[in-house]
């Protein structure tokens, strides 16, 4: 196999252009480093996306025939990619979402931007399960603060009387006003003592650092034409390009981290996905930020006589302690919202309020908490039949309680009446919780399967424990109580034990972390507290792989903060001639 060598030796080569890779590129180029950034997918600019198209402007009406979240969604990818399989051992249901494009999954995520709290770094000290992180909240707080100020996040600091002491304060832009149905949910939760508070999302409500405020089109999943919400390309990579110190290589599928006789990383071997040829980028320092599973795959595939089990894997811990957020949901139709007066309540994309974890797990039968996201209202209709409104025909009374005859269903005058009556009258609830980190949940290289580039693929071993199922049961009980207090009618039966309480398969929430965990003991971890390999001092992993546990919060803000911290550590160590 001929590998085309590039003559230049970069200070740093970064694999992956999402939250971790984008942050590293910005910090390092602004410090003067010459950086090569490799991205497996094509270039993408959200300013040229599909933000303002109507579903009827597509022959598929925007349906998810080739993108899981709809035709206009910004993600180039999904849980299945043609020619890029992954495998599972018997009994595993893990689903692996990959977004092959500049900026990766930062282009279409929900922008829910939550810091981990003080307790989230010390869970073993609290309940005896898993492991504590080698860092504390105080270690990462200055970086959270700077991420808030750099990127922008709306929200508010919570009243101490609410007792939400594991939801840290931050630096917030003014939040949008809640929608009417969100206020209804807040009122319904008061008797249950469930706090419903302002969401925290990386969407600008005021101009910041040259980016304008959100114009409230509510299509954040399509990318943002004005760069008002956070994604890596406009906020992190474009400033890095402006320094003149960044060379960006798209359509570059990383195959291997190369090393020398001393065991140091020397660069990245990659396949150009357009011409199918192999190339090599030379660098003095290598940063992997391709996602927790992809970075683990790359390290495990980087074998040599010095590293027979994979690069940086003397502990045999690469791939282990894989985690994804738990997820379960329910929805109800709310008679008080039927026959609503049409009005525009688009606002920002997604929720403007949510429910952080509010209980003490020591008094429950599961050890870790969850938060609740909820949505509904009169949003711009997407593809399909307005959330299956034609199925409601004949099942509900009129708003005043009068009986309503069953009509024609999916067409004609009755369907129009259904739309007027039911659209905006449903509210959905989604729990997102913390699993317990386990060594026996892991990914590894499948010895018998390669992808279309000839690169060995991952095989997943993953099962939820009773802790996660009991957490999902609690979610369903809570959703049921909230819908009841709203005067609502649940849509569908409540899932029981036989249905796993509706707990989604791991990977479906797309929050996978772990696999290259940090720790102080090189025999039990892959990285130190600065995301630096214990075995290879010039190798860093700046994505979610470094996580020791997965809190009941979305991981992006922590990935950004850890990458900023690790990148500044690289600068400092370089100055001291330690790298």
């Amino acid at each position: 196999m001929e590998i085309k060598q590039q003559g230049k030796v970069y200070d740093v080569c970064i694999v992956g252009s999402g939250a971790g890779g984008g942050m590293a590129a910005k910090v390092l180029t602004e410090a003067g480093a010459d950086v090569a950034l490799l991205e497996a997918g094509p270039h993408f600019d959200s300013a040229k996306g599909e933000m303002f198209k109507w579903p009827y402007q597509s022959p598929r009406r925007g349906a998810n025939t080739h993108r899981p979240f709809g035709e206009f969604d910004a993600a180039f990818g999904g849980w299945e990619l043609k020619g890029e399989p992954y495998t599972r051992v018997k009994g595993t249901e893990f689903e692996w979402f990959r977004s092959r494009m500049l900026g990766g999954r930062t282009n279409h995520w929900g922008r829910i931007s939550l810091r981990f709290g003080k307790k989230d770094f010390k869970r073993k000290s609290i309940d005896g399960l898993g492991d504590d992180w080698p860092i504390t909240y105080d270690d990462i707080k200055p970086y959270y603060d700077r991420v808030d100020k750099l990127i922008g996040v709306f929200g508010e600091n919570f009243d101490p009387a609410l007792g939400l002491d594991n939801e840290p304060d931050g630096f917030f832009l003014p939040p949008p006003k809640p929608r009417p149905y969100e206020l209804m949910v807040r009122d319904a939760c008061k008797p249950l003592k469930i706090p419903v508070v302002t969401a925290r999302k990386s969407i600008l409500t005021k101009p910041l650092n040259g980016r304008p405020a959100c114009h409230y089109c509510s299509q954040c999943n399509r990318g943002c034409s004005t760069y008002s919400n956070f994604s890596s390309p406009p906020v992190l990579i474009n400033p890095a390009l402006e320094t003149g110190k960044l060379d960006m290589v798209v359509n570059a599928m990383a195959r291997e981290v190369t090393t020398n006789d001393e065991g140091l990383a020397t660069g990245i071997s990659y396949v150009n996905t357009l011409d199918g040829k192999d190339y090599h980028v030379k660098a003095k320092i290598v940063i992997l930020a391709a996602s927790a599973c992809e970075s683990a795959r790359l390290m495990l595939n980087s074998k040599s006589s010095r590293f027979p089990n994979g690069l940086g894997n003397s502990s045999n811990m690469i791939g282990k302690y894989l985690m994804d957020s738990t997820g379960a949901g329910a929805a109800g139709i709310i008679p008080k919202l039927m026959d609503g007066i049409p009005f525009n309540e688009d606002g920002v994309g997604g929720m403007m309020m949510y429910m952080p974890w509010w209980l003490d797990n020591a008094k429950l039968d599961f050890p870790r908490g969850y938060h609740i996201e909820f949505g509904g209202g009169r949003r711009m209709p997407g593809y399909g039949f307005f959330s299956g409104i034609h199925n409601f025909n004949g099942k509900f009374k009129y708003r005043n309680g009068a009986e309503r005859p069953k009509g024609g269903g999916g067409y004609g005058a009755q369907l129009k009446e259904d739309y007027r009556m039911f659209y905006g009258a449903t509210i959905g609830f989604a729990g997102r919780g913390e699993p317990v980190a386990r060594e026996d949940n892991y990914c590894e290289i499948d010895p018998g399967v390669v992808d279309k580039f000839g690169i060995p693929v991952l095989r997943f071993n993953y099962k939820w424990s009773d802790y996660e199922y009991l957490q999902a049961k609690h979610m369903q009980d809570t959703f049921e109580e909230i819908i009841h207090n709203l005067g609502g009618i649940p849509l569908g039966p409540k899932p029981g034990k036989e249905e796993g309480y509706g707990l989604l398969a791991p990977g479906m929430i797309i929050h996978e972390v772990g696999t290259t965990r940090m720790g102080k003991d090189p025999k039990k971890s892959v990285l130190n507290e600065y995301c630096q390999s214990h075995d290879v001092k010039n190798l860093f992993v700046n994505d979610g792989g470094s996580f020791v546990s997965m809190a009941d919060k979305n991981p992006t803000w922590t990935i950004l903060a850890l990458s900023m911290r690790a990148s500044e550590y690289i600068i400092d160590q370089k100055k001291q001639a330690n790298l």
Side-chain angles (χ1 to χ4, degrees), residues 302-572:
S302 300
K303 295 181 179 181
S304 64
S305 58
R306 191 183 186 100
F307 300 107
N309 298 323
L311 184 62
N313 196 26
S314 64
S315 63
N316 288 317
M317 285 293 164
I318 293 180
K320 296 183 179 179
Y321 293 98
L322 172 63
M323 297 164 277
D324 183 35
S325 296
T326 57
I333 189 161
I334 315 301
K336 291 179 182 178
L337 293 174
M338 290 181 181
D339 294 314
I341 299 171
F343 66 99
N344 182 351
E345 63 172 29
D346 286 343
V348 301
M351 65 190 195
M352 297 182 189
M353 303 189 81
Y354 83 117
M355 307 168 207
W357 181 236
W358 66 98
L359 295 174
D360 181 358
N361 285 96
K363 301 177 181 178
L364 300 169
D365 58 0
F366 57 97
R368 307 285 167 85
Y370 60 90
H371 74 256
I372 301 175
E373 304 166 13
F374 62 98
R378 304 183 67 88
R379 295 171 291 180
M380 187 180 88
Y383 62 86
F385 294 94
F386 284 21
S387 303
I389 281 178
H390 57 299
N391 296 317
F392 298 168
N393 184 271
K395 296 183 179 179
F396 299 96
K397 297 180 180 180
Y398 285 107
R399 187 176 180 181
N400 62 9
E403 291 295 330
R404 184 169 180 272
K406 181 176 177 62
Y411 60 91
Q414 186 67 65
L415 181 62
K416 292 180 181 178
E417 184 177 330
D418 286 347
Y419 287 159
R420 295 186 183 103
M421 181 172 179
F422 295 118
Y423 189 64
T426 58
I427 301 177
F429 300 88
R432 299 289 182 260
E434 176 175 357
V436 174
R438 293 166 47 193
E439 186 175 349
D440 57 353
N441 283 337
Y442 62 95
C443 58
E444 61 186 344
I445 298 300
D446 189 315
V449 181
V450 297
D451 64 15
K452 62 184 178 183
F453 309 111
I455 304 172
V457 307
L458 285 181
R459 179 170 61 193
F460 288 95
N461 303 257
Y462 203 110
K463 288 184 180 180
W464 293 125
S465 72
D466 289 343
Y467 293 141
E468 287 78 51
Y469 285 111
L470 289 171
Q471 185 192 78
K473 179 181 184 299
H474 192 275
M475 291 179 188
Q476 296 293 351
D477 292 341
T478 302
F479 302 152
E480 183 179 52
E481 289 182 301
I482 297 171
I483 292 170
H484 173 77
N485 279 13
L486 284 163
I489 303 163
L491 294 175
K494 180 181 177 182
K497 184 176 181 179
E498 297 76 15
E499 298 81 29
Y501 305 107
L503 182 62
L504 295 174
M508 291 300 296
I509 307 304
I510 321 178
H511 287 171
E512 71 274 8
V513 297
T515 72
T516 55
R517 61 181 355 212
M518 63 168 64
K520 293 183 178 180
D521 186 350
K523 295 181 180 179
K524 297 181 180 180
S525 59
V526 179
L527 310 172
N528 68 14
E529 62 266 39
Y530 293 100
C531 303
Q532 181 182 30
S533 167
H534 288 303
D535 299 344
V536 184
K537 70 177 183 178
N538 67 336
L539 177 66
F540 294 76
V541 183
N542 284 25
D543 53 32
S546 67
F547 285 34
V548 177
S549 61
M550 176 58 206
D552 62 289
K553 285 107 172 175
N554 308 56
T556 306
W557 229 238
T558 302
I559 292 173
L560 289 162
L562 287 174
S563 183
M564 179 184 285
R565 184 173 185 263
S567 300
E568 293 188 348
Y569 174 79
I570 290 172
I571 295 167
D572 176 71

Side-chain angles (χ1 to χ4, degrees), residues 206-227:
K206 283 188 174 182
L208 180 72
N209 297 331
R211 297 158 52 217
C214 173
H215 53 281
Y216 287 2
C217 81
S218 195
Q219 301 302 308
C220 294
N221 66 304
R222 301 184 181 192
C224 186
S225 65
T226 59
Y227 303 151

Side-chain angles (χ1 to χ4, degrees), residues 114-117 121 137 140-149 168 171 557-558 561:
L114 306 175
R115 301 182 181 204
F116 284 18
F121 294 93
Y137 174 76
I140 195 172
K141 179 185 183 302
Y143 302 94
Y144 277 138
D145 291 348
R146 289 167 58 192
V147 171
D148 284 358
K149 295 172 183 178
F171 292 87
W557 229 238
T558 302

